[in-house]
Amino acid sequence: MAQVGPKRHTDKTGDISEAAIIARLLQVGYGVLIPYEKNHRYDVLIEDADGNYWHIQCKTGWMDEERTVINFATASSYNHTAQQKGWRNYRGQVDYFAVYCEELNKIYLIPVEAVGITQAKLRLTATKNKQEKNVRWANDYEL
């Protein structure tokens, strides 16, 4: 089956995730502030009912082949030169990751400190071996 429309660039995927996240944050009652410049470590700032502000980094989540886990990156890549490549995590710079999974059309709000520094997984179903000591359940974070 042919793909409808042009192939999607990763920037467009990020824009779609960010728009879906902002819409959902507004729907559940947060005030949403968007920085004018794009060189911040956060994508949006939200204000809760108590007047507290939280830095949010928007991420795109994708499902594994078995459709049991949502994966997302918890670090950003940087590439100053061909020899200088690396990853920067968000600890101390943002408060939450807001993750959009397009396949499920769902948004998850996860504290930055609750996940690893390079990538994270949100489990949708129980593990086959029932070893679920440190499992992060997707429905615990759904907006």
Side-chain angles (χ1 to χ4, degrees):
M1 178 183 213
Q3 180 176 338
V4 176
K7 184 177 179 186
R8 188 186 292 176
H9 188 276
T10 55
D11 284 345
K12 184 171 230 171
T13 298
D15 290 344
I16 290 167
S17 293
E18 193 172 312
I21 289 165
I22 289 169
R24 186 68 182 134
L25 289 168
L26 290 168
Q27 288 171 338
V28 298
Y30 288 104
V32 177
L33 295 91
I34 301 169
Y36 182 73
E37 297 176 320
K38 286 288 188 181
N39 60 349
H40 297 284
R41 293 291 286 159
Y42 62 93
D43 293 314
V44 297
L45 200 65
I46 60 173
E47 181 181 11
D48 67 18
D50 297 324
N52 298 311
Y53 290 91
W54 307 97
H55 295 85
I56 308 297
Q57 176 61 38
C58 298
K59 291 291 183 182
T60 301
W62 65 94
M63 296 179 73
D64 66 347
E65 288 181 14
E66 294 83 27
R67 300 180 58 80
T68 60
V69 171
I70 299 166
N71 298 288
F72 67 97
T74 60
S76 63
S77 64
Y78 65 90
N79 187 6
H80 296 294
T81 68
Q83 290 81 30
Q84 187 181 19
K85 297 179 184 177
W87 292 89
R88 290 177 55 198
N89 69 59
Y90 292 93
R91 295 269 166 99
Q93 297 172 322
V94 301
D95 301 300
Y96 291 91
F97 290 110
V99 179
Y100 174 60
C101 180
E102 187 172 11
E103 292 174 89
L104 299 174
N105 194 30
K106 292 188 177 182
I107 311 292
Y108 303 91
L109 192 62
I110 305 110
V112 141
E113 301 297 329
V115 295
I117 60 171
T118 57
Q119 56 183 321
K121 298 175 182 299
L122 297 177
R123 184 153 281 287
L124 296 165
T125 61
T127 59
K128 290 179 184 175
N129 61 8
K130 306 294 184 209
Q131 293 181 354
E132 298 169 355
K133 182 180 177 186
N134 295 317
V135 170
R136 284 176 217 68
W137 294 100
N139 60 357
D140 290 343
Y141 300 103
E142 188 175 338
L143 271 180

